[in-house]
Every structure is written in C-alpha cells, then in structure tokens.
Amino acid sequence: MKRTYLFILTLGALFLITGCTPKYASFEDVSKGNFKEADWNDLEGFEQDDLEHAFMVFKRGCEKAKRKAILKKACVQAQDYVSAKEFFQSNFTPYKLYDDHHSDEGLITGYYEPLLHGSRTKTDKYQYPIYKEPNDLVTVNLSAIYPELKRYRLRGKLVGNTLVPYASRGEIKESENMEAICYVDDKVDLFFLHIQGSGKVQLDTGEIINVGYANQNGRNYNSVGKYMISNGLLKEYGGSMQAMKRWFEDHPEETDRVLNVNESYVFFHENDQSATGSLGVPLVAKRNLAVDRKYIPLGVPVFIQTRNPLTKEDISQLMVAADTGGAIKGKIRADFFWGYGKEAEATAGRMKEAGKLFVLMPN
C-alpha cells in the first residue's frame, strides 16, 4: 500500500512538472532558441513603426542573407511587394524568445561607430597601433571535419607543427608579424574601438578613414566593465562606458592592467564603407542589431521592445539581425546599433536595458 501511495505521488509530481513546462517551437537547423508563437497583435507598436524603413533594411540585408536557405524564399518574395506591412505579415510568423527559466525578458545594450584621432606615422602623440590581421594568425574552420561545430572557429599560431593559443591582449607587441593601419592618440578609445568592432579615424592630414573588423586573436572575451564593477572600481563613477573612461583618466597607472583583463584582441582592415556587420552589409543606425546567432539567425527581422536609456522613452520597432559580438551571448540578448557621432556614443554607452525580442521566422 505504501509503495502504491509513493508511486501515485511520483506520477503526480511528474505530471505537475511536465504540465508546467512550456512547449517551445523548434528550429533546430538554424537556432537553439526557445520560441513561442505569438500573434501579430502582441507586437505592440508594430503598425505605428516605420515599416517601410525596416523593409528597406531587410532587403539590403538580402544581398548576403539570401544565400542562407532560411531566407532565400523571403528575399525573393521581397521584390514583389509594395506594402512593407503586407510583406512581413504574409511571409513571416512572429515568435517570442524565452530563456531557460521561461522568462521573456533579457538584456539589451547598445553600440556605435566611434571616431578616433590618428596618424599613419607613429609619433609621441600617436603611439597606439590599430593592427591589421597578423600573418602568423591561423584560423581553422572546424566544419569540414566536425559539421556540428560549423559556428565555431579555432584561432592560434603554429609553433613547429603544433597549433598553440595566440598572444593575449597584454602579450601582443609590435613585431615583424604586426603591421599597423595607423596609430591613434588614446589607448582607451582604441580599446573601445575593439569592443565596437568598427569605427572611423580622422588622420592628422584631415582625411577620415574607415576601419572594420578583420579577425580576432581567439582569446575569450572578458568584460572589463563587469570586472571594474565587481571589484568596486566604479563605485563613485557609475556603470556606463563614460564612467569607465573617467576612471581611466583618473587612474592612468592602472589602465593597462585593467584593460588586459580582456584577453581578446581585435585586428582590423581599412575599407571604403562605414560600419559593416557580420552579415557583410553596412549597418543602418537604429535598424540593425547584433545578436547571438546560436539563437537568432543573421538576416531575420526582429521586433524589439525596450527603452531609450537617456530619454526613457519606449522603443518598439522592427529591426534586422545583421551583426554579432564577443559580448553578445544568450538567448534573449541584443546590441542596438545607434550609429555614428557623439549622440550615438552617449546613448550606446549608457544602454543596459531590459527588453523583449520577437523573431520573425519565414513561413
């Protein structure tokens, strides 16, 4: 009798557990995210948004995204529609993203395209190099041998016949393997250029050049901001990028030690275009997001609900996932591209808002 009672209790517990666990839609071929189908009415502000602008950004992304099987049909269909609203609602289904704790709320940060000041020649004023990809950096695409690792790259350098980790941020020095695009006047601004992934440099000749992400040293990204907060360095400064810059100005003797907490180091190339995302097309201010592509495929439309960190106004608009970033990891995680200039820097540097994401998956 006792065993029967315990058996019934166990079945009841299992029923409660399985009954309370949400069932998520599966898109295993393109995402490991937790998706729950939504109604278009759940996208509050969708019809009030500038959908024509979002449509234009989506079609621009199709220049590269149509190579992906998931978007091929939608990108072809986009050429036949005049109405943006009709296109999105006819060719996509909205799905809300959830995390592993069944919450629909995640973290939205911001990024921008910075402007640095530099010179083609190293001088006492301009002494911090923006490096090109070094000739001894080896990047291994693992998908040919391990298809399940197609999203991963192995980076390092050869010592004899052995691939070893590439030098960390603190270890990278000028050598015959390093060539600089130019040199800038501020090591902290250079560090934030590494974080943003692209930017502009105004040279001492007056010329403005664009620099974009070329590769990375393969080391893990570690957040310097989190380190500074957890160690009490920003207690009297605040938690924004601007607060970090003030701390570095006040503690120049500690700058290198703290920056080297992040061992990741980015190499750049000079290009004719302004900020270009991982999708391979120029980014559009306030219409492109950087995402974790394990959960959100590049090129898909994403409706975001968050708020402006400065004005506190709600943001409810359709964007396109067009970029990635070392710090952008998680099921409900996005980096909002604010564009170029001081206003973009001020907004992006302070953005650390809660937000919800609806991914529009092609029918």
Side-chain angles (χ1 to χ4, degrees), residues 296-359:
I296 300 177
L298 287 179
V300 300
V302 180
F303 190 80
I304 186 171
Q305 293 177 337
T306 185
R307 68 175 186 170
N308 185 305
L310 298 183
T311 66
K312 305 305 178 185
E313 293 177 345
D314 288 337
I315 296 172
S316 297
Q317 64 184 52
L318 190 62
M319 305 183 73
V320 175
D323 206 0
T324 58
I328 314 305
K329 303 296 180 187
K331 284 185 166 64
I332 312 175
R333 182 74 175 89
D335 214 15
F336 191 108
F337 181 62
W338 285 97
Y340 164 75
K342 289 297 182 183
E343 183 180 348
E345 178 181 352
T347 311
R350 292 176 172 84
M351 190 166 192
K352 196 175 182 181
E353 301 291 330
K356 299 178 181 180
L357 301 176
F358 294 83
V359 181

Side-chain angles (χ1 to χ4, degrees), residues 39-52:
D39 188 89
W40 286 103
N41 292 327
D42 296 331
L43 280 62
E44 296 179 13
F46 176 78
E47 295 196 13
Q48 291 72 44
D49 187 20
D50 185 355
L51 296 177
E52 300 301 326

Side-chain angles (χ1 to χ4, degrees), residues 190-209:
L190 176 57
F191 175 82
F192 282 108
L193 173 66
H194 283 222
I195 303 300
Q196 304 303 320
S198 64
K200 300 178 185 293
V201 181
Q202 183 169 19
L203 300 176
D204 52 357
T205 60
E207 179 188 6
I208 296 179
I209 62 173

